[in-house]
Amino acid sequence: MSDLNDAETKRRWLLRSKLDLPRNNVRLVGRPRLFARMDGWLDLDLATVVAPAGYAKSTTIAEWCRGMRDRNVAIAWLSLDEADAEPAQFLSYAIAALSAAGLDLKRLEAGAEEGFFAGGIPTAMAAMLDAVAQFAHPVVLVLDDYHRLASPAADALMKAMLQAGPRNLTVIVASRAALPFDPTPLLASGRADELTSEALRFTADELAAIFEHPVNASALA
């Protein structure tokens, strides 16, 4: 009985709520302009969404992800916080998110839940990426609130993941601050895209859709 209790205690540290897409109980403004651009992300290694609080980064990404699920895209969501700055925990949550999205990670998830990788972090990451490569459909891994990490070690792990990632994996990073790793090489090679606050800002037509009655152009401005 003691061994069972110890195993359960090891697994309790992993918060499953961090793997859920954000929920909204309000009517959302349609963003077809952005979603059309985001559909192209399935052909990329990296997409970044960087803007201050209040620009609906998480909401926009989550709504696009819901649409992608209807198109047989595996969506793995991870809401990051300061505790995930440690590389083993960062990778453990990434594995748990991919497993929750439907990927077969075999015994790797059990090791992640226990916070221990027998072959070390590089071996565990290689096994995770191999599982993604063997998956029959596109895979999207969303890392929300990346600014909360502030971890050079996690940044190094991210860069290694992007360098070794299979063709069917797209990593989406949402942050309130400029990314601590440089996506310029991927942008220059056409393997990445970025949405800034300018792109996220409502157009006049999107803003008008918020109101029940017509609003003139000067009032919208």
Side-chain angles (χ1 to χ4, degrees), residues 161-183:
M161 187 187 307
L162 290 170
Q163 289 173 355
R167 293 179 63 87
N168 64 327
L169 174 65
T170 300
V171 179
I172 300 176
V173 178
S175 175
R176 292 183 183 179
L179 299 183
F181 59 90
D182 185 11

Side-chain angles (χ1 to χ4, degrees), residues 15-99:
L15 301 175
R16 293 286 167 180
S17 58
K18 293 176 56 163
L19 312 181
D20 295 335
L21 270 68
R23 293 177 293 177
N24 292 284
N25 295 322
V26 296
R27 181 176 66 87
L28 300 176
V29 176
R31 310 303 299 273
R33 167 183 61 90
L34 290 179
F35 293 167
R37 175 174 170 176
M38 294 165 73
D39 286 350
W41 289 357
L42 297 182
D43 297 321
L44 304 179
D45 298 339
L46 172 69
T48 67
V49 184
V50 180
Y55 276 82
K57 297 182 297 296
S58 301
T59 299
T60 300
I61 297 170
E63 287 306 298
W64 177 77
C65 285
R66 289 187 175 93
M68 288 297 101
R69 280 178 170 170
D70 295 335
R71 294 163 56 176
N72 292 322
V73 176
I75 300 295
W77 186 281
L78 173 54
S79 296
L80 296 164
D81 58 41
E82 292 77 4
D84 303 321
E86 200 278 317
Q89 179 154 322
F90 177 86
L91 185 60
S92 293
Y93 266 113
I95 289 168
L98 289 165
S99 181

Side-chain angles (χ1 to χ4, degrees), residues 148-212:
R148 298 183 65 180
L149 289 183
S151 168
D155 297 337
L157 190 62
M158 262 294 301
K159 288 189 284 188
M161 187 187 307
L162 290 170
Q163 289 173 355
R167 293 179 63 87
N168 64 327
L169 174 65
T170 300
V171 179
I172 300 176
V173 178
S175 175
R176 292 183 183 179
L179 299 183
F181 59 90
D182 185 11
T184 301
L186 289 175
L187 289 167
S189 62
R191 295 166 54 197
D193 188 22
E194 57 181 350
L195 288 182
T196 63
S197 55
E198 184 63 31
L200 291 167
R201 187 175 290 117
F202 285 132
T203 64
D205 289 341
E206 290 168 343
L207 191 58
I210 296 174
F211 303 97
E212 295 181 0

